[in-house]
C-alpha cells in the first residue's frame, strides 16, 4: 500500500513536470514569435530597421537650382517636424544624387512620412503606397513590422515667409479672431509650420488663412498662392482650403 502511494505520488510529480514544461514552451517565443520584445530573440525585431531612399524630382531640383544641401524624413513618428532635434531622420547624399538613410524604430507601427529638402520642399518620393495629405498631395506609407497601429490622420500646414516675426493659422472651425488661431513654429529661414489632427476639424471643405499681427494691414492677413485657394474675385476675400474626405 505504501509502495503504491509512493509510486503514484512520483508518477504524479513526473506528469506535473512534463505538463509544466509543455506549457512553458507554448507560452514562449515559439507560440507568439510576432510578440517578442526587443532583445528577446536575435532577428525577431530586424524589421524595425528601415531603409529610405529618395531622389528629388525635377521640380525640386529646379526650385532649388540643384543646390539641395539637406534632406530629412519626417512623419507621424515625430509629429512631421522638419528638424533633426525633433526626431526627423537625416539622410545622406549619394554620388548619383539620391539620398538614403537607415533608421531603427522603437515599435511596430504604420508610419506616414515625407521627404523634406532644404526644409522647404516636401515630397512623398516614389512610394507605392500613399495616403492623401488633404491638400492635394500625398504622404508615403510604410509598415514597420506591422500595419497596426495606424497613425491618426494629421493636417500639416506649411507657409513660407522670411520676414514676418510671427505667424498664426486662422479659420479652423470658424476661428477668425486675430486673438485666437494657432501659433505656428518657424523652421529654417522661412518655413512656418503647424499640425492639427484631422478628426478635430471633421469631414468636408474647410477654409483657412495665415495671419501676422506684426505686419501692417492689409498684409497682416495672407493666403498661400502655392496651395489651394478659393475662387473669390476680391483678393482680400481669397482663402486657402483643404478637403477631408476620409479619416
Amino acid at each position: 500500500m505504501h509502495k503504491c502511494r509512493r509510486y503514484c505520488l512520483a508518477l504524479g510529480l513526473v506528469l506535473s513536470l512534463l505538463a509544466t514544461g509543455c506549457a512553458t514552451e507554448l507560452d514562449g517565443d515559439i507560440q507568439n514569435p510576432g510578440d517578442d520584445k526587443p532583445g528577446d530573440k536575435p532577428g525577431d525585431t530586424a524589421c524595425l530597421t528601415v531603409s529610405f531612399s529618395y531622389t528629388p524630382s525635377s521640380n525640386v531640383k529646379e526650385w532649388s537650382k540643384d543646390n539641395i544641401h539637406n534632406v530629412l524624413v519626417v512623419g507621424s513618428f515625430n509629429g512631421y517636424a522638419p528638424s533633426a532635434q525633433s526626431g526627423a531622420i537625416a539622410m545622406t547624399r549619394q554620388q548619383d544624387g539620391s539620398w538614403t538613410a537607415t533608421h531603427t524604430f522603437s515599435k511596430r507601427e504604420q508610419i506616414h512620412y515625407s521627404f523634406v529638402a532644404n526644409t522647404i520642399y516636401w515630397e512623398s518620393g516614389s512610394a507605392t503606397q500613399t495616403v492623401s495629405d488633404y491638400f492635394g498631395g500625398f504622404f508615403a506609407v510604410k509598415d514597420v513590422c506591422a500595419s497596426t497601429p495606424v497613425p491618426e490622420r494629421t493636417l500639416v500646414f506649411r507657409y513660407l515667409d522670411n520676414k514676418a516675426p510671427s505667424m498664426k493659422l486662422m479659420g479652423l472651425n470658424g476661428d477668425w479672431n486675430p486673438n485666437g488661431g494657432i501659433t505656428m513654429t518657424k523652421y529654417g529661414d522661412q518655413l512656418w509650420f503647424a499640425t492639427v489632427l484631422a478628426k478635430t476639424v471633421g469631414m468636408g471643405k474647410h477654409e483657412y488663412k495665415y495671419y501676422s499681427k506684426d505686419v501692417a494691414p492689409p498684409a497682416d492677413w495672407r493666403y498661400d498662392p502655392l496651395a489651394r485657394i478659393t475662387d473669390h474675385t476680391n483678393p482680400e476675400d481669397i482663402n486657402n482650403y483643404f478637403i477631408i474626405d476620409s479619416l
Side-chain angles (χ1 to χ4, degrees):
M1 185 70 175
H2 295 299
K3 291 182 179 180
C4 179
R5 182 179 297 173
R6 288 196 297 270
Y7 173 78
C8 292
L9 288 174
L11 179 61
L13 179 60
V14 171
L15 292 174
S16 175
L17 290 172
L18 288 174
T20 301
C22 293
T24 301
E25 183 178 0
L26 290 175
D27 289 341
D29 294 341
I30 296 177
Q31 182 182 14
N32 298 307
D35 294 334
D36 301 323
K37 295 179 181 179
D40 283 352
K41 190 175 181 182
D44 284 348
T45 57
C47 55
L48 291 174
T49 299
V50 176
S51 296
F52 296 92
S53 180
Y54 167 66
T55 300
S57 69
S58 57
N59 285 335
V60 169
K61 291 179 180 179
E62 181 179 351
W63 293 334
S64 61
K65 296 181 174 57
D66 220 10
N67 184 24
I68 300 173
H69 51 79
N70 73 76
V71 176
L72 299 172
V73 185
V74 306
S76 54
F77 56 88
N78 82 316
Y80 298 90
S83 164
Q85 291 74 21
S86 299
I89 304 167
M91 305 191 77
T92 301
R93 183 170 183 164
Q94 306 302 312
Q95 291 185 347
D96 62 359
S98 66
W99 294 75
T100 61
T102 300
H103 181 77
T104 300
F105 290 86
S106 61
K107 60 182 179 180
R108 296 168 167 84
E109 61 181 338
Q110 183 183 93
I111 62 170
H112 298 169
Y113 66 98
S114 182
F115 300 104
V116 183
N118 292 358
T119 320
I120 297 176
Y121 311 105
W122 295 58
E123 293 192 310
S124 58
S126 58
T128 56
Q129 186 180 0
T130 60
V131 63
S132 169
D133 67 0
Y134 299 126
F135 296 93
F138 300 93
F139 289 123
V141 175
K142 187 180 289 291
D143 291 333
V144 179
C145 287
S147 59
T148 56
V150 176
E152 289 194 277
R153 300 291 296 276
T154 302
L155 298 159
V156 180
F157 295 88
R158 307 180 295 273
Y159 179 65
L160 301 179
D161 184 286
N162 60 359
K163 295 181 180 179
S166 67
M167 196 66 63
K168 284 186 174 184
L169 168 64
M170 309 295 300
L172 299 192
N173 294 322
D175 181 10
W176 296 99
N177 186 337
N179 294 321
I182 298 172
T183 299
M184 304 184 75
T185 302
K186 190 176 184 182
Y187 289 97
D189 295 330
Q190 55 183 317
L191 176 68
W192 292 96
F193 172 91
T195 61
V196 177
L197 289 179
K199 68 179 182 182
T200 65
V201 181
M203 302 283 284
K205 179 179 177 179
H206 305 275
E207 295 191 4
Y208 67 98
K209 212 164 191 172
Y210 300 104
Y211 173 78
S212 178
K213 67 177 181 178
D214 302 300
V215 179
D220 51 351
W221 288 89
R222 286 101 171 282
Y223 73 92
D224 184 354
L226 298 178
R228 288 172 167 171
I229 59 175
T230 56
D231 56 2
H232 297 300
T233 56
N234 187 344
E236 293 184 4
D237 294 332
I238 294 177
N239 294 326
N240 293 111
Y241 73 90
F242 58 90
I243 299 174
I244 297 180
D245 52 10
S246 63
L247 289 172

